[in-house]
Amino acid sequence: MNITVIGCGYLGAVHASAMAELGHRVVGVDVDPDKVAALSEGRPPFHEPGFTEILQRNIGSGRLTFTTDFATIGGAQVHFITVGTPQGPSGAADLTYVHAAIEAMLPHLGRCTDGAEVVAGKSTVPVGTAARLEPVIASTGALLVWNPEFLREGFAVEDTLHPDRMVYGLPGEPDGAERARAVLDELYAPILAEGIPRLLMDYPTAELVKISANAFLATKISFINAMASICDAAGGDVTSLARAIGMDTRIGHRFLRAGIGFGGGCLPKDIRAFQARAEELGVGEALEFLAEVDQINEETRHHALVKARSMLGGSLNRARVAVLGAAFKPDSDDIRCSPGLAIASELVDEGAQVVVTDPAAAPILARDVDLPYDVADDLEDALTAADLIVLATEWTQYTHCDPVWAATLVNGRNIVDGRNALNPKAWREAGFTYAAIGRQ
Ligand code: UDX
């Protein structure tokens, strides 16, 4: 099928490449000429395992191209909207890019001769957006579907090609719904053939599936971080607690890793946008708990700081601190809402001399000349002469770091394990004072 992907950021670039991998002819459109140039040359603008391979393979096969020219979308059968919906000043999602994409697309819709033409929204939008956009799209003869994406950074290719489920938010009119469903089923046929469940629903429910899934995941993380605070106060161990409660299949093990909290481009902004939308709908109180979830997430970073301070005798002033990890999670170079960088800034505010390192994000950080901390190219550089280490992102390079080797580099043997990812016994045996989150 001929398809287009509007917005070639994280979601769009991966989606475009994955759709080409399925055998479709794909044009990715973006307003940023630098991004289009990089992608066209097979250079990924971000770090994502497996992405370079599918990008280059499909450019090579001629099935995947990138352009800034919206006129090229004319005649294609499916157009995906994959632009960003960042957090606006009030906390609500900013839909500027969605509206700009639709406006740029409109003159070129209605030219498909292969069958029903579908516009498929993938961006995370406030509930009610699709219903508002539908008449505009329908005026061109195209059908609107809301088809949210659940991809995780670090697993984006895998999650796009082998998702847990597919969600189609379909038009209310039955004939249009049926024609739109058939087009998406044909497009996704190789994925659906694996037996992936495909759920049909209305627009608002499809929009809500995405944002409520992220709200639930954020709540699960903040729940275990709240338990970590209780464990700290009561002398318990949150990792044993999580293992035990996770064995109840109703609870499950995943997303119960206590630490310095969640970051990234999705969970923090989505829980705020969801609250703002609930307020607009007059049911703000239903999501008041998400403010607590957000608050716990902020506080968990402070707990790491408190531990760091007490480890150095009550003051971080002039201490050299190595922060390991700037990406919000491993296998990503995304530093949006990074818990590690938030801690690094607070350490600087307390007078510490901070050096941050990250296997993927360090070069991105180093481009910023106004940083309040230093950036080290590698682990050895970061550890050299450190009085204290803070593990902020559980990259394997860091979790496999030999404490005996680390001990030969540092000035003071102190480590705060912000991700409960290290072996306390091994670090203590190497002479380190070790502290973690919710663990003795
Ligand atoms: C998330 C959703 O998982 C994904 O389905 C959605 O499409 C986009 O948002 P992502 O932002 O890539 O994906 O990261 P995720 O794996 O969800 O992790 C988010 C944050 O939570 C990270 O900072 C991670 O370190 C943290 N986290 C995760 C924990 O602190 N504890 C956990 O147990 C799990």
Side-chain angles (χ1 to χ4, degrees):
M1 294 170 83
N2 289 312
I3 73 169
T4 74
V5 176
I6 315 299
C8 296
Y10 201 87
L11 167 60
V14 173
H15 191 69
S17 308
M19 293 302 103
E21 186 75 5
L22 295 183
H24 302 301
R25 279 180 300 276
V26 186
V27 179
V29 188
D30 200 285
V31 292
D32 178 347
D34 292 339
K35 197 182 286 173
V36 165
L39 287 166
S40 301
E41 287 163 19
R43 282 188 289 117
F46 46 79
H47 175 91
E48 181 62 40
F51 174 53
T52 311
E53 290 80 348
I54 61 165
L55 174 70
Q56 293 179 349
R57 183 159 55 233
N58 289 290
I59 289 174
S61 73
R63 282 197 300 272
L64 177 62
T65 53
F66 295 93
T67 177
T68 53
D69 180 6
F70 274 85
T72 54
I73 75 165
Q77 192 166 13
V78 183
H79 311 275
F80 285 102
I81 302 172
T82 53
V83 293
T85 51
Q87 185 178 322
S90 67
D94 176 353
L95 294 184
T96 308
Y97 301 123
V98 173
H99 294 142
I102 303 263
E103 202 172 308
M105 290 165 77
L106 278 180
H108 311 292
L109 295 180
R111 296 195 196 151
C112 171
T113 51
D114 299 327
E117 184 172 2
V118 170
V119 172
K122 284 214 159 285
S123 308
T124 304
V125 291
V127 59
T129 303
R132 268 206 322 280
L133 296 177
E134 193 201 14
V136 185
I137 302 293
S139 69
T140 67
L143 298 159
L144 178 67
V145 177
W146 216 263
N147 175 220
E149 188 62 68
F150 303 96
L151 62 84
R152 296 160 298 166
E153 296 191 16
F155 299 90
V157 174
E158 175 74 13
D159 285 351
T160 306
L161 290 172
H162 310 283
D164 291 336
R165 75 297 208 189
M166 283 278 184
V167 169
Y168 300 177
L170 296 170
E173 190 269 306
D175 179 55
E178 182 49 27
R179 289 191 302 136
R181 179 203 58 75
V183 171
L184 283 200
D185 277 358
E186 186 186 342
L187 177 86
Y188 289 137
I191 297 177
L192 297 174
E194 289 180 1
I196 307 287
R198 186 260 281 130
L199 307 168
L200 308 181
M201 56 192 74
D202 51 36
Y203 290 146
T205 313
E207 291 164 326
L208 284 168
V209 169
K210 169 65 196 236
I211 199 132
S212 57
N214 277 355
F216 186 81
L217 293 171
T219 304
K220 212 171 170 191
I221 298 168
S222 279
F223 173 83
I224 202 64
N225 283 330
M227 293 308 110
S229 298
I230 305 292
C231 284
D232 268 338
D237 184 324
V238 76
T239 54
S240 301
L241 175 90
R243 199 175 318 124
I245 64 172
M247 283 177 184
D248 183 331
T249 50
R250 293 170 302 175
I251 296 173
H253 287 292
R254 303 190 53 194
F255 275 67
L256 281 185
R257 279 179 290 112
I260 54 172
F262 58 81
C266 289
L267 300 191
K269 96 169 159 67
D270 285 356
I271 59 171
R272 293 171 196 150
F274 202 11
Q275 289 169 79
R277 185 64 186 133
E279 288 284 346
E280 285 169 12
L281 292 169
V283 286
E285 69 286 353
L287 294 187
E288 267 171 11
F289 72 95
L290 288 180
E292 292 283 332
V293 167
D294 207 355
Q295 181 66 24
I296 292 168
N297 196 46
E298 296 293 321
E299 278 164 13
T300 188
R301 295 168 191 181
H302 291 294
H303 290 166
L305 210 67
V306 169
K307 292 191 183 226
R309 203 186 294 127
S310 82
M311 216 174 241
L312 294 191
S315 168
L316 291 157
N317 199 24
R318 299 208 171 151
R320 183 176 161 87
V321 185
V323 175
L324 309 185
F328 81 106
K329 68 176 195 181
D331 286 322
S332 168
D333 60 4
D334 193 342
I335 54 172
R336 287 176 293 174
C337 292
S338 157
L341 293 186
I343 289 175
S345 294
E346 292 196 42
L347 286 163
V348 170
D349 290 346
E350 297 210 17
Q353 189 214 327
V354 178
V355 56
V356 177
T357 190
D358 189 285
I364 295 173
L365 275 183
R367 277 185 227 146
D368 185 344
V369 287
D370 290 327
L371 289 177
Y373 36 74
D374 293 329
V375 179
D377 289 339
D378 59 28
L379 184 58
E380 184 168 346
D381 258 11
L383 296 184
T384 301
D387 298 304
L388 169 78
I389 307 169
V390 177
L391 176 75
T393 313
E394 65 277 35
W395 284 95
T396 359
Q397 290 92 323
Y398 303 155
T399 57
H400 288 182
C401 170
D402 177 2
V404 177
W405 170 75
T408 63
L409 299 170
V410 296
N411 183 45
R413 296 182 190 183
N414 300 295
I415 184 158
V416 176
D417 178 0
R419 293 292 180 183
N420 288 340
L422 302 173
N423 177 350
K425 190 164 167 279
W427 284 83
R428 287 191 177 123
E429 278 173 7
F432 279 83
T433 305
Y434 169 94
I437 312 291
R439 258 173 131 182
Q440 305 316 301

